[in-house]
Amino acid sequence: MDARFADSAATHRRSGASRGRRGAIAAARRTWEDALMHGRAEVRLRRARRVAVLAVIAASSVAGCTHAPPPVPGFGSSPGTASQTASVTPLPTLPWPGPATAGGPITAGLIPLPVLARTDPGESFTLSSRTRIWIGTDQAAQPIAETLAAALRPATGFPLSVDRSVDPPPDSFLLAIDQSEPQLGEEGYDLTVTRGAVILHARTPAGLFYGVQTIRQLLPQRIEATSVQPGPWEIPGGRIVDYPRFAYRGAMLDVARHFFTVAQVERYIDELARYKVNVLHLHLSDDQGWRIAIDGWPKLTSIGGKTAVGGGPGGYYTQAEYRAIVAYAQARFITIVPEIDTPGHVNAALVSYPALACPGTRLAPYTGTGVGFSTLCVDQPVVFQFLNDVVAQLAALTPGPYLHLGGDEAASTKPADYLRYVEQAQKIVTAHGKTMMGWAEIAAAPLDPSTVAEYWNFRDRGATARKALDQGVRLVAAPADHAYVDQKYDPSTPVGVTWAGPTSVEKAYSWDPTDIAPEDRLLGVEGPLWSETISTLSQVEFLAWPRMAGIAEIGWTPRAERSWSTYRLRLAAQAPRWEIEGVNFYRSPEVPWVSASAATNPS
């Protein structure tokens, strides 16, 4: 889980050795493209393929990388796909790239910034009506090829058919899953853009999917339009070798304070996937509402699901609807982490089932925004029966590895009861085959090293994080003063809160998880969005974007490669895409935004 940076000296030695292979690589690429472009005899094409694959294998066996990507247990592959796939596909390649900060124009509009990149101005690729997406016999690449085609067809008007012939056609995208570059890990990809082809290969379908997101950002911004736009459709030439810094790159959406529909959640999933976010943490319960149907406990939704902050109608997901969200996310390589906040933040559950509360507790539906006043009564035997039933059903509904049981702001829970509750909760989650997550306050109790603590409370100056680390627990970093995207941008922002802010776009970007814990103790990062002040998708988008793009880059890009001065320019290039897609983002004065007219009306 905690594989980390490779030795930089070894990297330089390997990259030096790779220079000796570049002549062979270039020759192989020229032979390959000559055969493709000029229709030479079949034997010539097959000879070119053999030469190319030998060059690729030679290059990848000596090429270095700036750091090793983390293993991703529980993340990445959809059901029915596997990492073990076809043998190495013969593909042309450009020289091994260097750090993306020196990668040139190919990185100008990319978020997250890739690890390695190199621009080759003489090798740009232009889509045409004859461009196809070739996958050969690689069945595992088919869904990703269809994703790419669906993304590019509306604006280009090109058919972009998926080609499964034995040999690749000219002027096409070539997609392959192979094991030739172990440094790519479970989510990395290698993308080469030449005049004759766009070559994308990865070790897993997840890696291909992230490469497709990069291809979309390399195309002109008007590619996001839903109707045919004028060309040309040019992708800058060069090579990108890329993989994430952290295995967990998350966003959180609070659907308890205000409820958001399946369609609204799916829209947010689409927006997150563009930036290689791979976790959506759903806050499914709180004092103001319970949002997931649990068999055997119908009043959780018939009573607890009928309220929201401010007296709104509330709402909840049936188990079929929750499964639909999980499947939609999984198709985009996003893992759903469900949260049932306990033992505090439980008023909606207590009103639904008073037996969960301590005797004498005054109960009534709650539509305010206070915290810390509710608690499960640990002495009541029904409490752990309730928790077991909820965990069992969520575990069955959720293919991802984690169940989040909250644990924050339990001011009304006696300290001894809190410790007892957390210990029992871990046992229940483990018994159902999952790993428990919780807010970092859970470190007050003895924790199993497999448990994951989410650090948020900057006001404790890292005390809860240190308690978790002392027990061998991994952290997800979500410090509220930087990562909580529910905070106002400035005092005049019409929605949001200020208790941990205001949080400008620069402040949301200019921090690092290693400020909280050593790199090898971090599972990843998360950008939580609480919904006390918001009730529409437009408001979700306004608070999330552009700050979630920065959180995504923190999770993906090496710290040494990030800087606000260059990030703000790459962020500015996202504006036309968001405008075309109808995303209600905040035009921060910190960023020199690009106009959408430049994207839709090319010169």
Side-chain angles (χ1 to χ4, degrees), residues 219-302:
L219 282 158
Q221 294 102 325
R222 60 189 183 279
I223 195 66
E224 309 301 342
T226 57
S227 60
V228 176
Q229 303 293 308
W233 300 104
E234 184 174 289
I235 301 176
R239 186 177 180 190
I240 293 171
V241 178
D242 199 14
Y243 35 81
R245 178 185 182 188
F246 293 116
Y248 186 113
R249 305 176 303 281
M252 190 216 77
L253 181 61
D254 173 13
V255 299
R257 271 53 177 271
H258 283 101
F259 180 68
F260 295 94
T261 66
V262 172
Q264 290 171 325
V265 174
E266 289 177 348
R267 161 86 174 197
Y268 194 42
I269 287 169
D270 281 333
E271 294 167 3
L272 295 168
R274 302 286 179 84
Y275 296 95
K276 304 181 177 72
V277 171
N278 71 342
V279 176
L280 178 59
H281 165 186
L282 287 178
H283 186 75
L284 292 169
S285 71
D286 215 295
D287 292 311
Q288 299 86 351
W290 184 280
R291 307 302 183 203
I292 179 70
I294 300 296
D295 293 342
W297 300 83
K299 292 180 183 178
L300 289 172
T301 49
S302 66

Side-chain angles (χ1 to χ4, degrees), residues 514-594:
T514 55
D515 300 337
I516 297 165
E519 182 112 6
D520 63 355
R521 303 297 301 281
L522 289 160
L523 182 60
V525 298
E526 185 173 285
L529 178 49
W530 302 98
S531 64
E532 289 98 329
T533 70
I534 59 173
S535 59
T536 68
L537 177 63
S538 179
Q539 292 170 330
V540 168
E541 292 175 339
F542 183 77
L543 290 176
W545 307 109
R547 289 181 292 195
M548 268 309 306
I551 302 298
E553 179 152 304
I554 290 168
W556 185 279
T557 303
R559 181 177 191 172
E561 304 300 313
R562 295 194 297 110
S563 75
W564 168 250
S565 62
T566 58
Y567 170 74
R568 65 191 287 269
L569 302 179
R570 289 181 287 111
L571 184 60
Q574 309 307 306
R577 298 182 188 276
W578 288 332
E579 289 181 359
I580 292 167
E581 294 168 340
V583 175
N584 183 34
F585 70 100
Y586 171 63
R587 286 184 169 274
S588 168
E590 305 163 276
V591 179
W593 298 105
V594 175

Side-chain angles (χ1 to χ4, degrees), residues 28-263:
R29 174 167 51 81
R30 287 193 297 270
T31 305
W32 171 273
E33 290 179 351
D34 183 62
L36 286 178
M37 296 295 292
H38 301 292
R40 301 296 175 89
E42 179 69 13
V43 64
R44 177 73 179 274
L45 182 57
R46 294 189 182 279
R47 185 180 302 118
R49 294 176 71 186
R50 288 195 296 272
V51 173
V53 70
L54 291 173
V56 172
I57 292 172
S60 63
S61 68
V62 298
C65 53
T66 59
H67 69 83
V72 193
F75 297 102
S77 297
S78 297
T81 64
S83 297
Q84 66 274 13
T85 51
S87 59
V88 176
T89 301
L91 301 174
T93 187
L94 296 176
W96 192 259
T101 48
I106 198 169
T107 66
L110 297 184
I111 296 177
L113 186 70
V115 178
L116 303 170
R118 175 192 177 101
T119 299
D120 189 334
E123 292 288 346
S124 63
F125 177 85
T126 301
L127 277 72
S128 70
S129 58
R130 70 172 185 166
T131 299
R132 286 180 277 175
I133 302 171
W134 180 80
I135 61 171
T137 59
D138 195 344
Q139 186 175 355
Q142 177 88 26
I144 313 304
E146 297 290 356
T147 296
L148 177 60
L152 307 189
R153 284 170 183 152
T156 64
F158 300 150
L160 294 167
S161 60
V162 176
D163 190 319
R164 303 198 61 176
S165 58
V166 173
D167 293 316
D171 297 328
S172 293
F173 293 95
L174 313 180
L175 273 57
I177 297 173
D178 66 60
Q179 306 301 309
S180 65
E181 294 187 48
Q183 67 269 29
L184 296 180
E186 295 297 305
E187 297 184 286
Y189 62 91
D190 189 332
L191 174 66
T192 297
V193 181
T194 72
R195 287 167 294 176
V198 175
I199 307 108
L200 173 64
H201 63 109
R203 293 169 59 84
T204 66
L208 281 187
F209 181 82
Y210 296 131
V212 164
Q213 307 317 307
T214 297
I215 289 171
R216 291 179 68 168
Q217 290 188 6
L218 289 172
L219 282 158
Q221 294 102 325
R222 60 189 183 279
I223 195 66
E224 309 301 342
T226 57
S227 60
V228 176
Q229 303 293 308
W233 300 104
E234 184 174 289
I235 301 176
R239 186 177 180 190
I240 293 171
V241 178
D242 199 14
Y243 35 81
R245 178 185 182 188
F246 293 116
Y248 186 113
R249 305 176 303 281
M252 190 216 77
L253 181 61
D254 173 13
V255 299
R257 271 53 177 271
H258 283 101
F259 180 68
F260 295 94
T261 66
V262 172

